[in-house]
């Protein structure tokens, strides 16, 4: 009888042990799944923020186009009014309108050429970056200017303005694009979040943003031979945020360095040339 009771007790204990092991495995599996879901959620939030930024950019372009159209319409209305008041002949008015339309087409063609060049530049740079780099580098063309935005943790040592080893490969690809497009000027602009800096010899975020921009400029010059006459370094501190600083994700997005590539103004004006002469 005792042996039978011991046998039953052993079975019960074994069942409990197996059940406990099974529960532990299920718990570990749930924890792993939770980590994966959390990472996916974070990545999705960042992608959504980037998409919202692009939508905002497109909306701004649309508003500007509407303003340009309204200004053109207003100019045409004034021409018609002046013609009526000054008894200008219909034939002469038509000639003036044709000249204006010709100049407008010329401006559109120039802008189209500029935008096309910048789109090629953007595509060349995007193709040269790896998938991992593209997670921390955002490339956009806005109003004929190329904006390359880089996260601070991929460029600098933590809490510092010194370039880290990890940034070398990415900056080398950007430097090649800059060298290929020798007629473009380059502005490097540092941006921070709103957390005060507490380091010796750095007074505030203005200093930090300027020092970081200067580090990138000097790195492009000394390591890759970019002509320093084409480079400008500037800092905007915490006063040009992309989004709110109330969250860690927002602060991370605001801590960035932008490399802004734009055609030289004098060359752009040469493309535009002068307006058709108005023979009155």
């Amino acid at each position: 009888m005792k042996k039978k009771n011991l046998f039953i007790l052993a079975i019960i204990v074994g069942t409990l042990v197996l059940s406990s092991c099974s529960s532990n495995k299920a718990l570990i599996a749930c924890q792993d799944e939770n980590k994966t879901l959390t990472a996916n959620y974070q990545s999705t939030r960042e992608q959504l923020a980037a998409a919202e930024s692009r939508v905002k950019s497109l909306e701004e372009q649309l508003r500007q186009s509407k303003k340009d159209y309204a200004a053109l319409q207003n100019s045409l209305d004034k021409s018609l009014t002046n013609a009526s008041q000054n008894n200008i002949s219909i034939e002469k008015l038509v000639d003036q309108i044709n000249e204006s339309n010709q100049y407008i087409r010329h401006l559109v063609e120039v802008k189209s050429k500029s935008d096309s060049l910048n789109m090629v530049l953007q595509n060349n740079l995007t193709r040269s970056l790896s998938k991992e780099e593209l997670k921390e580098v955002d490339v956009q063309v806005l109003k004929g200017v190329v904006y390359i935005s880089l996260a601070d943790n991929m460029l600098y040592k933590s809490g510092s303005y010194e370039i880290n080893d990890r940034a070398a490969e990415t900056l080398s690809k950007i430097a090649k694009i800059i060298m290929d497009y020798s007629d473009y000027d380059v502005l490097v602009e540092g941006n921070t979040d709103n957390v005060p800096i507490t380091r010796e010899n750095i007074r505030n975020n203005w200093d930090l943003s300027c020092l970081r921009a200067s580090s990138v400029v000097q790195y492009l010059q000394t390591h890759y031979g970019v002509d320093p006459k084409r480079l400008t370094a500037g800092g905007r501190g915490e006063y040009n945020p992309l989004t709110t600083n109330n969250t860690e994700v927002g602060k991370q997005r605001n801590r960035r360095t932008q490399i802004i590539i734009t055609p030289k103004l004098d060359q752009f004006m040469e493309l535009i040339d002068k307006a058709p002469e108005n023979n009155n």
Side-chain angles (χ1 to χ4, degrees):
M1 187 66 178
K2 290 182 178 180
K3 290 182 177 181
K4 183 177 180 181
N5 291 338
L6 288 173
F7 179 72
I8 293 172
L9 180 60
I11 292 175
I12 292 172
V13 171
T15 302
L16 291 173
V17 170
L18 291 174
S19 175
S20 175
C21 291
S22 177
S23 297
N24 287 337
K25 289 181 179 178
L27 177 60
I28 292 171
C30 288
Q31 290 175 338
D32 291 341
E33 184 178 0
N34 182 58
K35 289 179 181 178
T36 301
L37 290 173
T38 300
N40 290 339
Y41 172 71
Q42 182 69 17
S43 175
T44 301
R45 284 188 62 184
E46 292 177 359
Q47 291 176 18
L48 177 60
E52 289 174 345
S53 176
R54 291 189 178 93
V55 168
K56 185 177 179 181
S57 169
L58 291 173
E59 289 175 344
E60 174 61 26
Q61 291 183 56
L62 178 59
R63 282 194 293 271
Q64 186 61 44
S65 297
K66 288 181 178 178
K67 287 182 181 179
D68 294 343
Y69 175 78
L72 178 61
Q73 185 65 49
N74 184 50
S75 176
L76 181 59
D77 290 343
K78 286 183 178 179
S79 296
L80 291 171
T81 301
N82 291 336
S84 176
Q85 292 174 347
N86 298 321
N87 296 319
I88 299 177
S89 68
I90 297 298
E91 291 80 4
K92 194 170 185 178
L93 178 60
V94 169
D95 289 341
Q96 290 179 358
I97 293 174
N98 287 336
E99 288 177 356
S100 297
N101 288 337
Q102 181 182 356
Y103 185 54
I104 290 169
R105 286 195 296 271
H106 179 57
L107 290 177
V108 170
E109 181 181 352
V110 169
K111 186 178 186 303
S112 178
K113 287 180 179 178
S114 176
D115 288 346
S116 296
L117 285 172
N118 285 314
M119 287 302 296
V120 170
L121 190 157
Q122 178 192 26
N123 292 334
N124 288 346
L125 179 58
T126 302
R127 282 197 298 267
S128 71
L129 297 173
S130 67
K131 290 182 179 180
E132 289 301 315
E133 288 172 320
L134 285 172
K135 292 180 181 178
E136 297 179 294
V137 179
D138 181 45
V139 184
Q140 295 186 48
V141 172
L142 180 60
K143 294 183 179 180
V145 178
V146 178
Y147 293 85
I148 307 169
S149 186
L150 302 101
D152 71 323
N153 58 358
M154 80 167 297
L155 281 179
Y156 313 106
K157 297 177 182 178
S158 179
S160 171
Y161 55 85
E162 296 179 7
I163 302 295
N164 62 31
D165 296 335
R166 181 169 165 240
E169 185 175 354
T170 302
L171 287 178
S172 70
K173 295 174 182 178
I174 294 174
K176 184 181 184 307
I177 294 293
I178 293 173
M179 297 286 279
D180 289 343
Y181 290 81
S182 58
D183 292 335
Y184 283 59
D185 282 329
V186 181
L187 167 64
V188 180
E189 180 184 274
N191 295 269
T192 70
D193 58 26
N194 65 347
V195 178
I197 186 72
T198 55
R199 282 199 60 188
E200 188 178 358
N201 299 327
I202 301 180
R203 293 170 296 182
N204 49 41
N205 283 330
W206 278 115
D207 279 2
L208 179 60
S209 63
C210 292
L211 287 168
R212 285 183 165 180
S214 179
S215 291
V216 173
V217 162
Q218 294 180 65
Y219 201 89
L220 291 172
Q221 176 188 355
T222 57
H223 286 74
Y224 306 113
V226 177
D227 185 355
K229 294 178 181 179
R230 298 174 56 199
L231 299 171
T232 302
R236 302 190 68 174
E238 63 197 69
Y239 302 104
N240 185 37
L242 288 175
T243 185
T244 176
N245 282 301
N246 293 334
T247 66
E248 286 304 318
V249 173
K251 290 177 182 177
Q252 183 178 355
R253 289 195 64 213
N254 291 332
R255 294 192 303 268
R256 69 200 187 281
T257 296
Q258 283 191 313
I259 299 177
I260 303 170
I261 306 175
T262 182
K264 293 182 179 179
L265 182 60
D266 56 346
Q267 293 175 340
F268 186 73
M269 295 306 294
E270 286 177 8
L271 282 174
I272 293 178
D273 203 357
K274 61 181 179 179
E277 293 182 0
N278 194 358
N279 298 320
N280 290 325

